[in-house]
Amino acid sequence: MQDLSSLYAFLVVGGLLSITPGPNMIYVISRSITQGRRAGLTSLGGVVVGYLFYMFGAAFGITAFFKTQPHAAQILSACGAVYMGWLGWNAIRPGGRSPLEIREQLPREHAGKLFAMGATTSLLNPKLALIFLTLLPQFIDETQGRVLEQSLFYGGLLIAMFAGVNAGMAIFSGSMANFLARKPAWLLVQRLLMGITLLALSAEMAIQAMG
């Protein structure tokens, strides 16, 4: 049974990360706007392959790391602090943009290629590996044991949030893009709130690493 306070905190952080612009989200949205909802959802199916690959890789790697390193939690907290800080800065830095600001149209492709390209985009995204490797350990209680089980539980939740947000983007990206094009201030507010929250999380992880 997971601690409810940790679970709620994970859902908040995971929710923020799921709406953070990245190659996978941009690819799914681009396909949806260019080729329609079905193409976007097909592309997302391929992207989920990458999610699963990195989740299982991270889960087994984290388990081994906790078993072999006496200061594993502090080391991973420090790595997480750096990465979350980098994400926060990229959200608020001048010149940042929303994934709904699509600048170019993509050629139309058949379903098999859309799925394969989605999987390739996801598997070749090193940021995805960093998210699983640095975020999951922050919510794992090694004193309870069952590190692998906890890793898979939180990893599964993270994939569900990522896939859910991207599915919503695939379905509604066309109308959202048109709406936000008329209200750019909304994009700025979203970016600032997300960036500030991620920077605060980075600071909390840094404190944990020094503890």
Side-chain angles (χ1 to χ4, degrees):
M1 181 67 180
Q2 305 298 324
D3 179 69
L4 287 180
S5 60
S6 295
L7 179 59
Y8 293 149
F10 181 83
L11 291 174
V12 171
V13 175
L16 284 170
L17 289 175
S18 69
I19 62 173
T20 301
N24 295 332
M25 181 183 289
I26 292 172
Y27 176 69
V28 170
I29 291 175
S30 299
R31 282 299 174 189
S32 297
I33 292 176
T34 300
Q35 205 169 331
R37 296 174 180 175
R38 180 174 295 181
L41 292 172
T42 301
S43 300
L44 175 59
V47 167
V48 170
V49 172
Y51 291 162
L52 291 170
F53 175 83
Y54 284 119
M55 181 195 74
F56 283 108
F60 284 100
I62 289 168
T63 301
F65 193 55
F66 270 113
K67 288 181 178 179
T68 58
Q69 295 292 332
H71 302 292
Q74 288 86 350
I75 294 171
L76 291 173
S77 289
C79 293
V82 172
Y83 184 59
M84 294 300 166
W86 181 81
L87 286 177
W89 163 246
N90 277 276
I92 64 175
R93 68 179 174 83
R97 71 185 183 99
S98 165
L100 288 168
E101 299 176 71
I102 303 302
R103 294 178 178 174
E104 60 182 21
Q105 296 292 303
L106 300 175
R108 299 179 70 85
E109 304 288 358
H110 59 80
K113 189 169 183 179
L114 289 173
F115 185 92
M117 291 174 68
T120 302
T121 300
S122 188
L123 288 169
L124 296 181
N125 180 8
K127 298 177 185 177
L128 189 58
L130 285 173
I131 287 175
F132 281 101
L133 284 171
T134 58
L135 180 64
L136 298 187
Q138 315 307 321
F139 298 91
I140 292 172
D141 185 357
E142 65 272 23
T143 62
Q144 292 185 7
R146 302 177 293 106
V147 172
L148 177 59
E149 182 181 325
Q150 292 184 69
S151 299
L152 293 175
F153 173 77
Y154 284 117
L157 281 180
L158 194 59
I159 288 178
M161 286 186 280
F162 283 176
V165 168
N166 279 287
M169 290 292 187
I171 295 170
F172 300 110
S173 55
S175 57
M176 284 193 297
N178 292 330
F179 171 78
L180 293 173
R182 300 190 300 269
K183 298 182 181 294
W186 285 65
L187 294 173
L188 178 61
V189 171
Q190 180 266 334
R191 281 176 44 222
L192 290 176
L193 288 175
M194 180 173 63
I196 291 170
T197 303
L198 289 171
L199 288 173
L201 176 63
S202 173
E204 181 180 350
M205 288 182 177
I207 293 172
Q208 291 176 356
M210 293 183 293

